[in-house]
Amino acid sequence: MRVIVHGGAGSPADEPTPRQEVLDDAAETGTAADDPTDAVVAAVRVLESDPRFNAGVGSAVQSDGYIRTDAGLMTDDRETGAACGMPGVEAAVEVARLVKEETPHVLVSGVHAVDLADAFGVETDANLWSERTREQWEDLDERPAGDAREHAEWVAERFGGDPEGRSETPADHDTVGAVATDGEAVAAATSTGGRWLALAGRVGDVPQVGSGFYCTDAGGVSATGTGEDIARLNLSRRASQFLEDGLDAQAAADAALAEFGDLAAGSAGLIVLTPDGDFGEAYNSEAMQTAIAGSF
């Protein structure tokens, strides 16, 4: 098994070394799996359980003070599952897998995704607040109040002038992802806690097929960065298309990111892995930590 993981594209981490150690552990954990799906789920679970990343524990807080998680998973046969808007669910990638394997659907959302998780034994009452996010929430000098219209106005005023959709916390772009191959099959998965103080109920690129993740027999892709721009431009699908057009993994990553940079003001990053183990990574943010492990 060969596995590549990322810990999000964004600002440089305050403590890059311990984050890198977790990423290395996640990639190594994935290599022990029996198949690529198990591998990406195992790798992402390591990252979802660490508060240094904006996925699972340590996820971003939305405008109403709730934390909601999203994830997507796809295999090279184009079988897909995704789940979004889940309060209390750390293992978002496990729910995405449930949607793929236990339902005829591609995406399940909100309370119904939580109910599905609970029915299949995935924990649904996890405390997703980290010390960091709790402090950031409590330190806000102003919080949105009132109905959804007032929340929307507050969010628009706070972030509307920033083309990259950034706020004061680096947690925004610390989405996590993994791609794995055993030399034949490929799987890709991405998981996130969303955007810091986004409008309650906001869903970004991560659970949208072709945006936060994509996979075909040419290879798998996991993306991270400014979610709205990634979703508008289907970044992962574009990288996959470049693979299908004959580019190697690094060239496909570079080409997709160059196209993204020409069309979007925000930042992004992506990892790419092909069935023969060729891998690539690219980002136009200040930093994106990755790790790769395994061979076949």
Side-chain angles (χ1 to χ4, degrees), residues 10-105:
S11 303
D14 291 336
E15 298 180 325
T17 299
R19 286 179 92 257
Q20 187 62 52
E21 290 172 353
V22 177
L23 287 163
D24 292 343
D25 180 51
E28 196 63 43
T29 297
T31 65
D34 292 332
D35 60 61
T37 297
D38 287 345
V40 293
V41 170
V44 169
R45 284 296 296 120
V46 171
L47 302 174
E48 288 176 330
S49 65
D50 192 292
R52 294 178 179 88
F53 301 93
N54 180 15
V57 175
S59 290
V61 186
Q62 294 193 331
S63 67
D64 59 354
Y66 283 86
I67 294 173
R68 298 174 175 91
T69 58
D70 311 330
L73 186 152
M74 189 171 184
T75 47
D76 59 86
D77 55 4
R78 299 179 194 259
E79 289 297 308
T80 309
C84 66
M86 297 182 290
V89 177
E90 174 188 315
V93 71
E94 295 278 13
V95 189
R97 182 174 187 169
L98 285 174
V99 174
K100 183 177 86 72
E101 297 181 353
E102 303 294 342
T103 83
H105 308 306

Side-chain angles (χ1 to χ4, degrees), residues 177-191:
V179 188
T181 183
D182 59 4
E184 297 180 0
V186 186
T190 308
S191 179

Side-chain angles (χ1 to χ4, degrees), residues 111-157:
V111 64
H112 304 292
V114 176
D115 289 344
L116 180 69
D118 185 59
F120 283 88
V122 177
E123 184 182 3
T124 58
D125 59 355
N127 178 8
L128 303 182
W129 289 85
S130 68
E131 181 178 349
R132 175 193 59 176
T133 52
R134 176 66 68 186
E135 289 177 353
Q136 289 169 339
W137 175 254
E138 292 177 349
D139 287 346
L140 287 175
D141 55 8
E142 179 188 5
R143 298 177 192 169
D147 61 15
R149 183 187 185 94
E150 292 176 279
H151 276 243
E153 291 171 350
W154 187 92
V155 170
E157 179 181 351

